[in-house]
Amino acid sequence: MTDLPKIALGAWAWGNDGTFGTNYTEEQLRPVFDDAMAHGLNLWDTAYAYGMGTSEQMLGAFLKGRARDSYLIADKLTPQCLDPSSDTPVADMWEMQRKMLGVETMDIYWLHNTTEAPRWIERIARFFEGKADAPMIGVSNHNLTEIKEADKILRAHGRKLGAVQNHYSLMNRSSEESGILDYCRANDIRFFSYMVLEQGALSGQYSTLNPMPNNSERAAIYNPIMDKIEMLNTSLKLLADKYKVSIAQIPLAWAIGKGTLPIIGVTKKSHVTDAVQAMKITLTPEEIALIESTADKLNFNTIRLWEKEMV
């Protein structure tokens, strides 16, 4: 699979799991989904862990009745969500997710994290071995050693690693500093960057005077450093003004310019607009160096509980 859009759309917030502090309904999200599809943004990233299936169910409801070749689905096997008593946990999860989404197969299937690595990539490799309709296999939250190990295991079963998905933003470039991006480029592996906007922190929407909702998990991470985030957003606004776009579009354009495929959460039509406009922006090498330098000097640490430093 080579024909992918420049940006993937994430449905994490659709799962209402407390991370974002907002509960979304089908009525709120369906116009957002329809708008994205109308603009050719048709790669949707979800997981059972996003609300224990509620994100997948919501997405499945929107996909119903649409031609299967009009959209792409990326779903995840999360080890912590598997049934430990089952003899076929990978098959069980795959079948449950498939039914909730209403599809015969997924286009990309991720191993969500490295819990009990490399046991679960081995199980995934065995499950898809010899299957003609197998999806692209990817790994998320893996460091370089674990990425190489996963590829070796997949190749032993007639598959290969097709994608890597890690937290990558102006506030966290450890996947670049560790050599993961270079390795992916050299081995025909697509690198998907998630949390490019740091769950909205780099959108210009929040500030010290307008912090994130206190009932959200993300508030505990970003609100205490909102003064530094404001400084970075001020730098991003200079470029946003130059290109006549919103602040959120600059980090997205940066991630595309770095050769990655950003995944952005979409809960409003404005998020779709940001994605569409960001794909039209080409930042110069000097502009990229400037905003990276600004971010580096602020010395952020936004590694979350489920993640690790990649260097």
Side-chain angles (χ1 to χ4, degrees):
M1 184 203 316
T2 56
D3 191 18
L4 298 175
K6 287 184 178 181
I7 291 177
L9 303 181
W12 184 0
W14 298 13
N16 299 330
D17 62 7
T19 302
F20 296 86
T22 308
N23 290 334
Y24 296 100
T25 65
E26 268 194 43
E27 290 71 27
Q28 288 173 299
L29 294 174
R30 187 178 287 276
V32 179
F33 174 86
D34 290 342
D35 194 39
M37 292 291 287
H39 283 94
L41 290 167
N42 65 344
L43 173 52
W44 298 90
D45 184 86
T46 185
Y48 179 76
Y50 302 160
M52 298 296 104
T54 54
S55 172
E56 292 162 324
Q57 289 168 350
M58 186 95 70
L59 181 55
F62 298 158
L63 296 173
K64 192 172 183 180
R66 288 186 176 264
R68 182 61 183 89
D69 62 0
S70 70
Y71 58 83
L72 300 165
I73 296 294
D75 208 336
K76 304 178 185 74
L77 181 114
T78 307
Q80 294 89 335
C81 295
L82 297 172
D83 180 357
S85 66
S86 173
D87 293 329
T88 56
V90 175
D92 294 348
M93 178 62 74
W94 171 262
E95 288 302 316
M96 180 172 63
Q97 292 173 308
R98 214 175 47 72
K99 288 174 183 173
M100 284 192 291
L101 289 164
V103 297
E104 289 299 315
T105 189
M106 262 74 90
D107 300 285
I108 306 173
Y109 202 54
W110 305 95
L111 175 58
H112 208 165
N113 54 57
T114 56
T115 298
E116 294 185 54
R119 177 187 175 200
W120 290 114
I121 197 68
E122 174 77 35
R123 298 287 289 268
I124 288 172
R126 289 184 183 278
F127 178 69
F128 289 113
E129 186 171 4
K131 293 187 178 178
D133 62 347
M136 176 190 287
I137 304 299
V139 293
S140 182
N141 301 306
H142 281 52
N143 64 28
L144 186 54
T145 299
E146 292 159 343
I147 288 166
K148 291 177 178 178
E149 180 180 50
D151 191 35
K152 183 178 178 181
I153 290 169
L154 286 164
R155 287 179 185 277
H157 293 276
R159 312 234 73 92
K160 73 177 285 290
L161 187 66
V164 169
Q165 177 185 147
N166 282 349
H167 179 180
Y168 179 68
S169 75
L170 284 162
M171 295 166 68
N172 176 13
R173 292 196 290 136
S174 61
S175 282
E176 179 180 356
E177 294 152 358
S178 63
I180 291 174
L181 263 63
D182 286 340
Y183 179 81
C184 288
R185 276 192 287 266
N187 291 277
D188 191 30
I189 298 170
R190 297 299 301 268
F191 184 91
F192 287 66
S193 45
Y194 76 78
M195 280 175 55
V196 171
L197 297 178
E198 292 289 340
Q199 297 185 329
L202 296 183
S203 68
Q205 181 180 352
Y206 301 105
S207 65
T208 51
L209 295 177
N210 181 38
M212 292 181 172
N214 280 326
N215 64 333
S216 65
E217 183 185 301
R218 59 182 173 156
I221 301 297
Y222 299 106
N223 284 351
I225 57 170
M226 195 58 74
D227 55 340
K228 293 203 296 183
I229 291 170
E230 276 187 307
M231 293 182 206
L232 180 53
N233 279 333
T234 297
S235 178
L236 296 177
K237 189 176 187 305
L238 294 174
L239 286 178
D241 290 346
K242 173 187 171 181
Y243 287 97
K244 296 181 172 57
V245 296
S246 70
I247 290 174
Q249 293 168 32
I250 299 302
L252 292 176
W254 167 82
I256 295 169
K258 298 287 283 191
T260 78
L261 198 161
I263 305 169
I264 65 163
V266 285
T267 55
K268 301 174 183 175
K269 281 191 174 185
S270 62
H271 299 158
V272 176
T273 301
D274 282 339
V276 172
Q277 294 302 318
M279 291 189 292
K280 300 174 183 177
I281 302 168
T282 303
L283 298 177
T284 68
E286 292 77 18
E287 289 168 341
I288 288 174
L290 176 64
I291 56 177
E292 286 181 349
S293 172
T294 301
D296 291 348
K297 287 172 186 172
L298 291 166
N299 195 29
F300 292 104
N301 179 4
T302 56
I303 304 297
R304 304 297 286 274
L305 287 175
W306 66 86
E307 301 176 318
K308 57 195 171 194
E309 191 75 40
M310 291 298 166
V311 291

